[in-house]
């Protein structure tokens, strides 16, 4: 540690607090990735004792702790318990990330397969280890590529089984959660617009294209291209914004989002 | 000669003694020739011997005195030309040109003779020394000493231009003289003609016409101005043919065209009260033709006319179709359109030489404004309906074809051809079912024309309607063949069986048929289903008609032709003297809006009021009472009261039809998208929109927003997907 500069030392501290790794491991990983966090995390987790540390028996025990008494899956009560153990709010968005890692098909339930295989792939076999991993998972939301994957995953996860589209209320809830992380100034207007004008379920295409819209088009719509192959609903949203004077001549006049 | 001597070739030896040429000899010879030249110029040539002079010239050249001869020629000729020049300069006023002409003529004659005399020199000495040949020399010397002499050059030009000006202002001048003078300049060479005459001529002419055109424009109207311009143009052409070089024609006409036409083009076209628009309005074929012929000579001339004509047609057309007065009567509306089209066809053929670009401009203008009124398709169908119902009665076959062709022409302009199709179907159905078509051949002819224009799909259902009518006839024959005897005493039933897909969709309505009809109808139903198992029949009571024989209280007997609804209502009065609206409604179960309309037509229309209504108001309310009008009279034995004629749709009906059209378009758009994506596999957003619009153009103008919605719907249903890398690209999913 003595040979490192101040900035590097800070990074090592951060790395350790996020991953729970030892100083030596932290320094190694960071050096190998040229002092970039992302690379360092990847190295750490891929080298970490993935298969060997995860003991299947432990996992079975864990599963049984949360499993529903009447069905061979973890349902709402089990999940609440799980969240308590993790000291995480069930509404916390990090639970979405957890589900994503586990490739859970639907929200509020984990099948046995999903739970066990998911934890195995993370190299986790105890709640403590999972709790340690939580901060890292939170940081994954900051990664643009991963956020997109999680966002798109969320559609399938949040919708009803057997339905093609996502119910509007659920969608709005998800958006508010997700865009709290990603910071899109127009999210509230979007939700208001949908409730006032659309009142129908959201299609997958609209869902995924909305993220692109939030990413590409700036909140004042100065670079919005009407011929830009945006879904019809988004075009209507732009019209709605102009009609209500929220966007005027490429300026966002409603600054409430800043508050 | 002895045989032993050598043989020798026969030789001719040259003349042994030389002819010594005395230098003085050369001088003497020259003097003879010089004298001859003087005599020639002095008009004294008759005393000369051609042979002697020729020989002298020959000798000089032969003995190498060609140079002396040549230079002598030059100085002698020059001397004479200078004398001539002075004489010309001295001429006064009008005789200047004559003197010039006369001296020119003299010089030419002299030159001719001199050339003949000196021909040997021309052929031998001159080519070998590359000197100018005699004739050309003579012209050059004339040019240099006479035409280009200080005192003559300017005066010559001014005199010519002055004469031309006088001719332009109406005086008669000596054209023969002018021709000779101008020809002289031409003979002196192209550059002399151009520099000494043509260029200044064109400049002066430009000034002249510039001034004149300005004067004309201020005091003439457009038609007069064009006449004047045409006259001037013809004058100039005539002038050239009489006394100028033919190559000058294009140049001078250019000048006139530029000054009189090109410079004033816009002013003329837009001239108040007499410009192009007025000419079009008043059908001034001659003036328009003149304008066309003149303007086509100048750059952008025709396009100027065309543009003004186009915007005029668009404006007046727009006024026509958006005029609420005209929209009241669809037949009149369409007749106005046809009139307009005929008017401009005539103008283009009589005045614009059937110019294709004008035809195209006319077509695009019509296409533009016809589609400004969204009811145009409906109105055109109503026009056809009117014609096929009664308008073409007694009209000859060729004339019928003419009218139908005109209708087709308007049809081609429509962007929303599918709307037309919907209305046409409705109107055709009414015509067929009421048997009110004037000519079956005319109907079929129009269908054929539509098929040629739009393809088999467009007309297959229409043809289905005709087939149904025919088949129904056969069915009826079979029905009466089977049951004829039984039914002889009852009412006569005529049924048309309509195949659901081919006829305009109607919702089925309730209606209680009178008992006399009910049994008969059921008999037909079982007969039909007996031979066509697996089909379902439902009576379309809102489309039928009935003929009733009515005997009124006053003893009058009439035959009433009514709709099925009206029949149901009237038959009730066989069992009751008076009935309230409520009772009628209950008994017949006809939907109230239809029932009200039906009762109105039976009780509130003068001449057709077979029923009496209490109170006498026009509106129908629940408590109104109805009874048979025993005082009913009519001039005709057969009274028609039915209301099955095709009419302009009411607002709500129109909305409904429009909605149905929009609904029908959705699958068509989807089919087009799938077709295109299937063949292209991957395509970007803008290109899809463009291709789909193009494919559907022949039926309707596809809305890009609607196309987008359809694309999204197809994505939803996994026909298409967005490309992962480029979100503007769509991919076909097999």
């Amino acid at each position: 540690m003595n040979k490192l500069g101040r900035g590097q030392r800070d990074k090592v501290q951060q790395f350790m607090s996020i991953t729970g790794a030892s100083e030596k491991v932290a320094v190694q990983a960071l050096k190998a990735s040229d002092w970039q966090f992302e690379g360092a995390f990847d190295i750490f987790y891929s080298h970490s004792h993935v298969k060997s540390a995860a003991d299947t028996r432990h996992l079975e025990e864990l599963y049984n702790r949360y499993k529903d008494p009447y069905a061979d899956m973890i349902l709402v009560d089990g999940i609440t318990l799980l969240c308590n153990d993790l000291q995480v709010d069930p509404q916390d968005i990090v639970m979405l990330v957890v589900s994503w890692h586990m490739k859970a098909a639907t929200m509020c339930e984990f099948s046995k397969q999903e739970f066990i295989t998911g934890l195995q792939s993370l190299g986790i076999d105890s709640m403590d280890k999972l709790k340690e991993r939580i901060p890292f998972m939170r940081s994954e939301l900051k990664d643009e590529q991963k956020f997109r994957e999680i966002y798109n995953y969320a559609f399938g996860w949040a919708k009803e089984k057997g339905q093609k589209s996502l119910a509007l209320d659920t969608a709005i809830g998800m958006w508010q959660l997700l865009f709290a992380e990603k910071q899109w100034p127009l999210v509230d207007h979007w939700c208001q617009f949908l409730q006032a004008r659309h009142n129908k379920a959201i299609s997958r295409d609209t869902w995924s294209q909305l993220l692109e819209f939030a990413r590409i088009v700036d909140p004042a719509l100065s670079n919005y291209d009407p011929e830009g192959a945006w879904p019809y609903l988004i075009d209507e949203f732009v019209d709605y914004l102009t009609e209500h004077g929220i966007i005027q001549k490429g300026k966002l006049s409603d600054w409430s989002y800043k508050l | 000669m002895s045989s032993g001597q050598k043989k020798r070739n026969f030789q001719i030896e040259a003349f042994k003694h030389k002819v010594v040429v005395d230098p003085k000899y050369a001088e003497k010879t020259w003097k003879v020739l010089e004298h001859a030249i003087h005599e020639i110029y002095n008009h004294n040539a008759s005393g000369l011997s051609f042979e002697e002079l020729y020989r002298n010239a020959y000798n000089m050249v032969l003995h190498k005195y060609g140079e002396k001869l040549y230079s002598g020629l030059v100085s002698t000729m020059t001397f004479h030309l200078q004398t001539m020049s002075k004489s010309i300069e001295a001429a006064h006023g009008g005789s200047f040109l004559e003197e010039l002409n006369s001296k020119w003529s003299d010089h030419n004659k002299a030159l001719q003779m001199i050339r003949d005399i000196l021909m040997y020199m021309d052929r031998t000495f001159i080519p070998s020394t590359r000197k100018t040949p005699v004739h050309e020399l003579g012209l050059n010397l004339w040019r240099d000493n006479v035409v280009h002499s200080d005192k003559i050059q300017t005066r010559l030009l001014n005199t010519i231009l002055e004469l031309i000006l006088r001719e332009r202002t109406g005086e008669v001048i000596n054209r023969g003289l002018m021709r000779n003078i101008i020809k002289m300049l031409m003979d002196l060479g192209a550059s002399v003609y151009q520099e000494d005459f043509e260029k200044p001529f064109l400049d002066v002419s430009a000034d002249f016409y510039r001034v004149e055109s300005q004067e004309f424009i201020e005091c003439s109207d457009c038609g007069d101005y064009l006449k004047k311009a045409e006259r001037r143009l013809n004058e100039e052409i005539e002038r050239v043919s009489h006394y100028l070089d033919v190559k000058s024609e294009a140049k001078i006409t250019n000048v006139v065209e530029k000054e009189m036409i090109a410079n004033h083009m816009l002013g003329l076209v837009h001239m108040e009260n007499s410009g192009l628009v007025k000419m079009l309005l008043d059908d001034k074929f001659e003036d328009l033709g003149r304008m066309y012929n003149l303007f086509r000579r100048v750059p952008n001339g025709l396009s100027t006319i065309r543009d003004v004509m186009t915007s005029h047609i668009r404006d007046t057309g727009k006024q026509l179709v958006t005029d609420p007065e005209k929209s009241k009567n669809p037949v009149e509306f369409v007749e106005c359109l046809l009139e307009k089209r005929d008017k401009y066809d005539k103008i283009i053929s009589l005045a614009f030489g059937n110019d294709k670009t004008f035809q195209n401009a006319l077509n695009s203008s019509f296409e533009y404004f016809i589609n400004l009124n969204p009811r145009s398709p409906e109105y055109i169908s109503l026009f056809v309906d009117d014609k096929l119902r009664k308008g073409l009665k007694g009209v000859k076959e060729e004339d019928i074809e003419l009218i139908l062709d005109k209708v087709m022409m308007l049809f081609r302009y429509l962007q929303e051809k599918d709307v037309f199709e919907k209305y046409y179907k409705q109107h055709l159905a009414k015509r067929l079912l009421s048997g009110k078509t004037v000519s079956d051949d005319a109907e079929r002819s129009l269908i054929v024309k539509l098929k040629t224009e739009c393809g088999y799909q467009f007309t297959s259902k229409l043809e289905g309607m005709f087939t149904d009518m025919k088949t129904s006839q056969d069915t009826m024959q079979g029905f009466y063949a089977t049951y004829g005897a039984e039914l002889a005493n009852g009412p006569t039933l005529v049924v048309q069986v309509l195949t659901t897909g081919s006829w305009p969709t109607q919702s089925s309505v309730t209606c209680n048929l009178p008992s006399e009809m009910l049994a008969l109808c059921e008999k037909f139903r079982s007969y039909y289903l007996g031979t066509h198992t697996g089909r379902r029949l439902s009576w379309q009571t809102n489309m039928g008609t009935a003929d009733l024989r009515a005997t009124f209280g006053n003893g009058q007997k009439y035959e009433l032709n009514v709709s099925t609804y009206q029949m149901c209502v009237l038959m009730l009065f066989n069992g009751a003297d008076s009935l309230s609206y409520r009772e009628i409604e209950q008994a017949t179960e006809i939907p109230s809006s239809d029932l009200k309309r039906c009762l109105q037509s039976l009780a509130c229309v003068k001449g057709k009021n077979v029923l009496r209504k209490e109170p006498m108001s026009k509106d129908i309310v629940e408590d109104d009472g109805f009874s048979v009008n025993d005082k009913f009279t009519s001039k005709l034995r057969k009274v028609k009261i039915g209301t099955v004629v095709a009419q302009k749709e009411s607002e709500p009906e129109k909305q409904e039809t429009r909605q149905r059209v929009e609904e029908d378009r959705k699958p068509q758009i989807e089919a087009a998208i799938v077709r295109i994506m299937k063949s292209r596999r991957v395509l970007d957003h803008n290109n899809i929109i463009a291709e789909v619009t193009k494919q559907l153009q022949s039926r309707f103008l596809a809305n890009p927003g609607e196309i987008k919605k359809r694309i999204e719907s197809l994505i939803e249903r996994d026909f298409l997907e967005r490309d992962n890398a480029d979100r503007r690209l769509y991919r076909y999913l097999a």
Side-chain angles (χ1 to χ4, degrees), chain B residues 21-88:
Chain B
V21 178
D22 196 348
K24 285 207 188 92
Y25 169 77
E27 185 61 32
K28 241 185 359 184
T29 317
W30 165 243
K31 280 289 175 230
V32 172
L33 288 166
E34 192 188 29
H35 172 78
I37 293 175
H38 284 311
E39 292 293 85
I40 288 172
Y41 272 105
N42 292 335
H43 304 112
N44 255 347
S46 50
L48 300 172
S49 158
F50 176 77
E51 196 259 322
E52 183 197 338
L53 294 169
Y54 185 89
R55 194 165 18 95
N56 279 325
Y58 171 84
N59 280 331
M60 278 193 80
V61 175
L62 191 65
H63 292 117
K64 315 258 187 274
Y65 286 101
E67 187 58 51
K68 183 175 173 62
L69 178 57
Y70 191 84
S71 52
L73 170 65
V74 172
S75 49
T76 315
M77 200 176 270
T78 306
F79 167 74
H80 279 284
L81 289 177
Q82 280 172 351
T83 316
M84 284 175 158
S85 187
K86 288 205 176 45
S87 143
I88 296 168

Side-chain angles (χ1 to χ4, degrees), chain B residues 140-158:
Chain B
N140 290 349
L141 289 176
W142 172 269
R143 174 196 67 201
D144 297 336
N145 289 294
V146 179
V147 174
H148 282 175
S149 96
D150 288 336
K151 299 214 178 84
I152 292 183
Q153 188 170 25
T154 322
R155 188 174 169 193
L156 173 60
L157 175 62
N158 289 343

Side-chain angles (χ1 to χ4, degrees), chain A residues 164-165 203-205 209 212 216 225 227-232 235, chain B residues 685-686 705-706 708-709 712 715-718 722 727-730:
Chain A
K164 244 197 162 156
S165 309
S203 71
R204 186 182 282 275
D205 186 58
Q209 290 298 304
E212 300 306 311
I216 295 174
D225 177 10
E227 325 252 311
W230 296 111
Y232 194 69
D235 288 335
Chain B
H685 183 81
N686 284 348
E706 192 56 49
K708 211 191 232 200
K709 280 199 199 151
E712 281 174 50
I715 292 177
E716 237 344 64
R717 283 137 61 198
D718 294 322
R722 283 186 199 259
R727 49 168 298 282
R728 296 175 64 132
L729 223 53
Y730 299 106

Side-chain angles (χ1 to χ4, degrees), chain A residues 6-254:
Chain A
R6 166 88 78 79
Q8 290 168 335
R9 253 181 279 153
D10 284 340
K11 284 195 178 163
V12 171
Q13 291 289 8
Q14 266 187 15
F15 189 89
M16 284 166 63
S17 70
I18 289 178
T19 61
S22 66
E23 186 185 314
K24 184 159 168 233
V25 173
V27 171
Q28 259 180 355
L30 281 165
K31 266 201 186 149
S33 70
D34 207 25
W35 297 96
Q36 299 296 335
F37 272 124
E38 237 179 86
F41 286 142
D42 278 342
I43 292 175
F44 177 73
Y45 283 116
S46 57
H47 284 331
S48 80
H49 334 281
V50 176
K51 280 7 180 251
S52 44
D55 193 333
T56 337
R57 212 157 349 114
H58 282 205
L59 290 173
E60 285 256 9
E61 280 169 22
L62 218 49
Y63 174 69
N64 287 330
R65 175 175 165 70
Y66 301 114
K67 146 180 150 41
D68 186 270
Y70 300 109
D72 189 15
M73 16 188 9
I74 303 177
L75 295 177
V76 178
D77 292 333
I79 292 184
T80 316
L81 186 54
L82 175 66
C83 292
N84 269 338
D85 289 347
L86 291 173
Q87 289 171 334
V88 158
D89 189 318
Q91 310 282 6
D92 191 320
I93 195 173
V94 77
M95 287 314 292
L96 170 61
V97 185
V98 172
S99 304
W100 172 59
H101 277 293
M102 299 214 193
K103 302 194 185 3
T106 315
M107 61 156 59
C108 303
E109 54 183 70
F110 291 119
S111 73
K112 184 172 184 177
Q113 161 91 336
E114 287 164 0
F115 187 76
I116 294 186
T117 321
L119 289 178
Q120 252 182 343
S121 71
L122 287 169
I124 291 176
D125 63 355
S126 72
M127 274 303 114
D128 286 334
K129 290 215 180 109
L130 184 56
K131 198 153 50 164
E132 282 171 11
R133 194 68 69 83
I134 295 288
F136 171 69
M137 288 187 177
R138 277 197 209 284
S139 75
E140 288 189 296
L141 286 167
K142 302 282 178 247
D143 173 295
E144 188 143 334
Q145 180 60 20
K146 289 201 182 145
F147 181 82
R148 191 195 278 129
E149 280 179 40
I150 293 170
Y151 174 92
N152 281 329
Y153 161 79
F155 180 86
W157 180 76
K159 73 173 172 61
E160 300 274 331
K161 272 192 264 216
Q163 293 283 342
K164 244 197 162 156
S165 309
L166 182 57
L168 186 58
D169 293 334
T170 322
I172 289 181
M174 290 303 303
W175 273 321
Q176 285 179 329
L177 210 58
L178 286 160
F179 284 116
E181 286 296 315
K182 168 105 175 129
Q183 286 303 320
W184 184 43
L186 293 174
V187 63
D188 289 328
H189 290 297
W190 170 251
C191 296
Q192 274 165 25
F193 157 71
L194 287 173
Q195 280 165 327
R197 295 280 189 90
H198 186 57
N199 260 323
K200 283 187 273 199
I202 301 296
S203 71
R204 186 182 282 275
D205 186 58
T206 308
W207 175 269
S208 63
Q209 290 298 304
L210 185 70
L211 181 62
E212 300 306 311
F213 183 78
R215 264 190 347 107
I216 295 174
V217 178
D218 90 290
L221 300 184
S222 58
N223 61 341
Y224 167 73
D225 177 10
E227 325 252 311
W230 296 111
Y232 194 69
L233 202 52
I234 291 182
D235 288 335
E236 285 201 318
F237 177 54
V238 172
D239 288 337
Y240 169 87
L241 290 173
T242 358
E243 261 175 56
H244 284 64
I246 300 169
I247 302 286
Q248 277 162 350
K249 297 189 222 233
K251 282 209 193 97
L252 179 61
S253 20
D254 173 34

Side-chain angles (χ1 to χ4, degrees), chain B residues 228 295 402 433 488 514 520 555:
Chain B
K228 286 178 184 161
F295 276 53
L402 267 169
L433 293 177
L520 187 52

